[in-house]
Amino acid sequence: MRMTDSGADSAFYHRLGVADDGTERFAATDYTRSVWSTEMQHGSPPAALLVRAMERGHPREGARLARVTVELLGPVPVTECRVRSRVLRPGRSIELLEARMDAPMPDGSARTVASARAWRMATEDTAMVQRATDDRYPAGRPSADSGFGFFGAHEVVTFLDAVEWQWTSLAGDEEPGRVRVRGKVALVAGEEPTPLERMFCVIDAANGVGATLDPREWTFLNTEMSVHIHRVPGVGLGIAAESSVGPDGVGMCTAVIHDEAGPVARTAQSLLVRRRI
């Protein structure tokens, strides 16, 4: 497998500094490449970079992100990208943050390729009443089967190579697809990711984990992702995902995200379902 000169063996991105307009500049590495097309980025690394911008660009003690919605506004090229963030609606208990990612186009112009908005809430001790309604990730040894084998080999490193996948079950009529995940590279070279950055580095894979359609015959790309986080994730992440497909080319993937102590978040993605020609 080919590694890029920017050091794709260590991170999804390398920070290039701050531009004159105040935006942060990053170089994407091979590990950001999507398996649908290696000319565009998988959705997880840009989502995590947008979360990073909101968390680190506007830090606040005693508050955390509770809901994050990421909009994928088109293919994100594997090239330099620029990220900016701001507080849209400040507040003592609840506030709304926004982040945007811009990337150069072939004609030399720049376009916003992804954006995110997040509600951040002030925290308070509610340990005595905490509860989770979703089932815990089932115990048991990983299966030898892989849910991503159908994509085959690529001449370059892709997002799949950046994560260790330990499958418990493949999606079907009886149960969701379940996989334990462990990131093998950093989000940004030289940085220790926050718990939410670590989760968002893998979370957009849910529509692949929950897929029942054969991707050699169908495509089911997501246009966005909404994540509700009721507990800050720890280590040992797992994804349990399942998909619904309507009769008119539109689908939906929902997932529960787990850590070793139990469920931490729910996600939903809209899917554009198309038969391959």
Side-chain angles (χ1 to χ4, degrees):
M1 295 184 293
R2 178 178 65 84
M3 298 290 185
T4 61
D5 292 337
S6 56
D9 56 335
S10 61
F12 287 119
Y13 300 99
H14 286 255
R15 190 172 183 272
L16 301 177
V18 180
D20 292 340
D21 61 359
T23 58
E24 283 192 283
R25 300 170 54 231
F26 299 90
T29 70
D30 277 351
Y31 275 137
T32 65
R33 294 184 186 274
S34 170
V35 290
W36 292 111
S37 168
T38 56
E39 298 305 309
M40 68 180 186
Q41 296 187 42
H42 186 274
S44 288
L49 203 59
L50 293 170
V51 167
R52 175 191 178 277
M54 291 185 287
E55 283 195 314
R56 301 189 187 219
H58 308 278
R60 179 178 167 184
E61 290 291 331
R64 70 165 179 87
L65 303 187
R67 190 228 66 189
V68 179
T69 296
V70 177
E71 308 285 357
L72 301 173
L73 305 176
V76 181
V78 185
T79 182
E80 178 181 330
C81 51
R82 299 189 177 193
V83 178
R84 71 179 71 204
S85 62
R86 59 175 176 159
V87 177
L88 279 177
R89 186 269 197 193
R92 184 174 60 181
S93 298
I94 303 172
E95 57 187 358
L96 183 64
L97 289 78
E98 180 184 61
R100 295 171 49 188
M101 174 184 287
D102 296 339
M105 297 293 104
D107 63 1
S109 64
R111 181 171 64 84
T112 300
V113 292
S115 65
R117 287 191 174 186
W119 285 104
R120 182 162 62 185
M121 297 183 178
T123 57
E124 185 172 321
D125 185 3
T126 53
M128 71 293 291
V129 294
Q130 68 174 326
R131 66 187 295 263
T133 57
D134 292 301
D135 294 334
R136 292 175 64 92
Y137 195 95
R141 301 183 62 182
S143 168
D145 295 327
S146 170
F148 294 140
F150 45 68
F151 281 112
H154 293 89
E155 294 182 358
V156 297
V157 171
T158 71
F159 171 78
L160 294 186
D161 301 301
V163 180
E164 179 182 297
W165 310 91
Q166 294 185 340
W167 290 84
T168 302
S169 62
L170 303 183
D173 294 334
E174 301 298 325
E175 59 183 342
R178 297 187 182 94
V179 64
R180 290 200 176 276
V181 291
R182 183 184 66 84
K184 297 191 289 187
V185 302
L187 173 60
V188 176
E191 291 184 359
E192 180 67 24
T194 69
L196 288 188
E197 289 172 8
R198 185 181 298 110
M199 182 175 74
F200 274 83
C201 279
V202 297
I203 203 169
D204 193 63
N207 68 320
V209 175
T212 56
L213 296 174
D214 187 336
R216 292 166 294 192
E217 299 179 9
W218 299 88
T219 61
F220 37 90
L221 280 74
N222 61 297
T223 57
E224 47 71 48
M225 171 178 59
S226 289
V227 185
H228 289 80
I229 309 142
H230 72 267
R231 181 167 61 80
V232 176
V235 297
L237 295 178
I239 301 172
E242 50 194 343
S243 295
S244 301
V245 180
D248 56 356
V250 178
M252 176 186 68
C253 175
T254 58
V256 178
I257 311 302
H258 303 258
D259 65 9
E260 292 181 345
V264 299
R266 288 188 182 184
T267 76
Q269 300 166 294
S270 295
L271 306 178
L272 179 70
V273 183
R274 293 293 183 267
R275 182 183 292 275
R276 288 188 184 272
I277 299 175

